[in-house]
Amino acid sequence: MKHFVDISRLSRQSLEDLLAVADDMVPLAREGTDLAAGKILATLFYEPSTRTRLSFEAAMQRLGGRALGFADAAASSVAKGESLADTIRTVDKYADAVAIRHPAEGAALACSFYSEVPIVNAGDGGHLHPTQTLLDLLTIKRELGRLENLTVVLTGDLRYGRTAGSLALALAPFKPQVVCVAPEGLELPPHITRRLRAELGAAVEETEDLAAAARGADVLYVTRIQQERFFSADDYLKVKGSYVVDKKIVGLMRKEALVLHPLPRVDEIPPEVDADPRARYFEQMRYGVPARMALLAVLLGLAGKDIPYREVKGEELDLACPNPRCVTTSEKYLKNLYAPILARAESLFGELGEGKRYRCLYCDYEVVV
Ligand code: NCD
């Protein structure tokens, strides 16, 4: 593994190997180690963050290394019009690894094409958030005792929230039952449900009945409506507060089930739920440090064995990606790269129309040529 952009590029075995390293890091996240002494992590955050950036910096420092970077792109040369490619070609001279959060979908993959050091995707728009998923998996494994055959209920903004889809894709090799409870228009993006069903063979169900879903859940994964990704305030107000996981809902859940949330929360989990033993989102947050320590240690070649990462080679097509949020729309010098869709269940792709089907290599948007 050279870069960590998309967690679904790891096989089940690789995920288990990475989680085993994370297990070893749990005590070291408190005690500290000098494993990464002399190494520097750069954190480039073009979008707001509390947990992800601070836990990356804490992880690097607990490993004995150092962290530098910016939390506000307005303070960097982006404000002078510098491209992402040139920014990365600068930072890779100063640091041994780079964690980047950017509003454009596919930004981290684009950076990986220009970087001499490992790139870690710390969130690329509404697309992916693989390190959150890594800590979610670590939380589930440690707090529930297993990853296999889980019923995972995803609720909230599944369309623009990058954490829910990332979790479903990563769990796919562990044969989950995925149940989605989302307001209209905020369902999981079609490229994710199709990938889950047609390529990964995972069971995905949609329902409006949060209470029934909660009753059957091993994990209830709650997400915030992503106000900042709406094009109009009206559209946000229509869905705001539509699914609330309150004491009544949590009371229906099995005793050993978990309520997780990547945080920050707004109004989808009232504070009265925090005292319930099933509410485990604060513990989940704590796992962010050992999970990121493990990832950095592996990428820097300091821990674990080599973890294979499935690289997908793109084909260049004479077609600009139609997704306005794709990194190729803002960073014009990028090649239009696509990966052919290899579907097991052809029937699920009917609505895309006839022709050769591809997915944008950066943002996964599906096109037919
Ligand atoms: C999430 C994110 O940034 O996607 N937060 C996080 O990293 N813990 C969730 C969110 O912002 O809603």
Side-chain angles (χ1 to χ4, degrees):
M1 177 163 62
K2 280 209 294 256
H3 306 284
F4 186 71
V5 172
D6 177 351
I7 196 167
S8 69
R9 301 280 170 84
L10 298 187
S11 68
R12 177 181 167 140
Q13 186 58 54
S14 298
L15 279 172
E16 284 172 352
D17 291 345
L18 190 51
L19 289 169
V21 180
D23 268 327
D24 294 342
M25 292 295 174
V26 170
L28 299 179
R30 279 190 300 268
E31 295 153 19
T33 155
D34 57 6
L35 200 61
K39 300 284 184 192
I40 295 177
L41 169 73
T43 56
L44 313 185
F45 277 62
Y46 293 77
E47 272 195 336
S49 168
T50 301
R51 275 151 287 269
T52 304
R53 188 174 60 84
L54 293 181
S55 67
F56 261 113
E57 295 186 0
M60 195 55 182
Q61 296 187 22
R62 294 287 194 200
L63 281 172
R66 291 180 201 205
L68 47 79
F70 55 78
D72 178 5
S76 79
S77 283
V78 177
K80 302 180 191 171
E82 185 166 58
S83 71
L84 203 48
D86 282 359
T87 302
I88 291 302
R89 285 192 280 227
T90 308
V91 177
D92 70 359
K93 313 291 180 287
Y94 309 150
D96 301 290
V98 179
I100 179 165
R101 168 170 290 189
H102 195 281
E105 301 186 3
L109 181 73
C111 290
S112 73
F113 295 158
Y114 296 92
S115 180
E116 291 172 7
V117 302
I119 295 288
V120 180
N121 184 1
D124 58 336
H127 184 220
L128 299 171
H129 195 348
T131 64
Q132 177 67 44
T133 305
L134 187 62
L135 78 92
D136 294 342
L137 295 178
L138 183 63
T139 308
I140 297 171
K141 186 184 153 208
R142 290 183 66 100
E143 301 288 315
L144 207 60
R146 68 179 217 276
L147 292 172
E148 188 77 25
N149 291 325
L150 297 174
T151 299
V152 179
V153 177
L154 306 173
T155 187
D157 184 348
L158 309 185
R159 179 167 202 92
Y160 300 121
R162 49 196 165 200
T163 57
S166 291
L167 179 61
L169 289 171
L171 276 174
F174 299 94
K175 301 284 160 247
Q177 185 78 34
V178 178
V179 182
C180 302
V181 191
E184 204 185 319
L186 299 185
E187 296 89 357
L188 273 186
H191 72 82
I192 294 191
T193 42
R194 270 197 281 264
R195 253 178 95 186
L196 286 168
R197 288 184 177 131
E199 290 158 61
L200 303 168
V204 187
E205 208 185 291
E206 284 174 16
T207 173
E208 286 174 8
D209 191 346
L210 180 60
R215 265 192 211 101
D218 293 303
V219 176
L220 175 57
Y221 194 89
V222 191
T223 63
R224 169 181 73 90
I225 309 273
Q226 309 277 301
Q227 182 177 8
E228 68 275 27
R229 307 216 189 277
F230 280 72
F231 287 128
S232 96
D234 269 1
D235 287 350
Y236 170 66
L237 290 173
K238 263 185 234 152
V239 287
K240 183 178 163 3
S242 43
Y243 287 104
V244 175
V245 174
D246 55 16
K247 258 174 117 161
K248 223 171 95 202
I249 294 287
V250 178
L252 300 170
M253 295 174 64
R254 292 205 272 262
K255 272 208 160 45
E256 63 286 359
L258 308 178
V259 181
L260 300 182
H261 191 309
L263 302 174
R265 65 172 153 183
V266 185
D267 49 14
E268 59 283 356
I269 302 184
E272 61 184 36
V273 172
D274 299 354
D276 192 290
R278 286 161 286 205
R280 224 62 73 80
Y281 27 89
F282 297 126
E283 280 82 2
Q284 180 185 4
M285 218 161 31
R286 192 191 301 276
Y287 288 119
V289 177
R292 292 183 170 107
M293 286 171 78
L295 179 69
L296 291 170
V298 166
L299 283 170
L300 293 169
L302 305 170
K305 44 185 179 188
D306 185 33
I307 293 188
Y309 181 95
R310 195 169 47 85
E311 299 280 351
V312 179
K313 281 250 174 306
E315 239 176 82
E316 191 172 357
L317 298 183
D318 185 19
L319 171 73
C321 178
N323 174 10
R325 300 168 196 263
C326 180
V327 66
T328 54
T329 55
S330 46
E331 307 285 325
K332 297 279 186 211
Y333 51 88
L334 293 170
K335 285 185 182 161
N336 295 316
L337 296 175
Y338 294 84
I341 297 177
L342 308 165
R344 274 196 222 160
E346 276 295 314
S347 57
L348 289 167
F349 288 85
E351 66 193 66
L352 280 181
E354 288 298 305
K356 199 157 181 221
R357 293 181 290 255
Y358 292 93
R359 226 168 247 143
C360 172
L361 199 66
Y362 302 92
C363 70
D364 287 312
Y365 197 92
E366 296 166 327
V367 296
V368 176
V369 182

